[in-house]
Amino acid sequence: QVQLVESGGGSVEAGGSLRLSCVASGHIISINSMGWYRQVPGKQRELVATITGRQETNYAEAVQCRFTISLDDAANTVYLQMNALKPDDTAVYYCNADINDITRRPPRVEGWGQGTLVTVSS
């Protein structure tokens, strides 16, 4: 299994910035991808951004040019730099990881973090 611990959420005014971090732990031999998703009450969880172990990135249209995802694979940590935040970015942000676990057959394992709340006020 993979354990994910998120940090960096909080409250900020519109136009401000926050940086989310997510550390993955377990018997990780390699990372296939990690990413960030968000959810507001009454709505489905939606993609924010993902990054592969090859550093290939994908962003939701709503966050293009404002958010930047990065991966430190040596530290099993994914970051989400969020700039020019808007009230519509208010949500619980969840970290996701797709990794290979040396103790499992097949080795591929996916996990989710507990979520961190981001609140953007107007």
Side-chain angles (χ1 to χ4, degrees):
Q1 292 189 350
V2 58
Q3 294 78 43
L4 301 172
V5 178
E6 301 126 328
S7 61
S11 298
V12 65
E13 292 186 350
S17 298
L18 285 173
R19 189 190 196 206
L20 305 183
S21 301
C22 173
V23 181
S25 61
H27 303 285
I28 300 170
I29 55 172
S30 62
I31 294 173
N32 297 310
S33 68
M34 294 185 74
W36 293 95
Y37 294 73
R38 66 187 182 187
Q39 189 171 23
V40 297
K43 293 190 176 182
Q44 288 189 335
R45 191 172 297 185
E46 64 178 13
L47 167 75
V48 176
T50 60
I51 186 166
T52 71
R54 297 179 180 180
Q55 304 289 329
E56 299 158 325
T57 59
N58 179 49
Y59 294 93
E61 186 175 348
V63 306
Q64 283 273 5
C65 301
R66 297 189 298 122
F67 292 9
T68 302
I69 190 169
S70 58
L71 175 65
D72 180 349
D73 54 4
N76 295 332
T77 301
V78 65
Y79 303 96
L80 186 68
Q81 178 66 44
M82 304 185 294
N83 298 328
L85 282 160
K86 305 175 181 180
D88 283 349
D89 295 318
T90 296
V92 177
Y93 284 69
Y94 295 91
C95 177
N96 174 270
D98 176 355
I99 61 94
N100 293 311
D101 182 328
I102 196 170
T103 67
R104 298 177 69 90
R105 292 292 179 271
R108 195 163 189 169
V109 173
E110 183 179 10
W112 290 90
Q114 294 298 308
T116 185
L117 178 62
V118 171
T119 303
V120 184
S121 58
S122 58

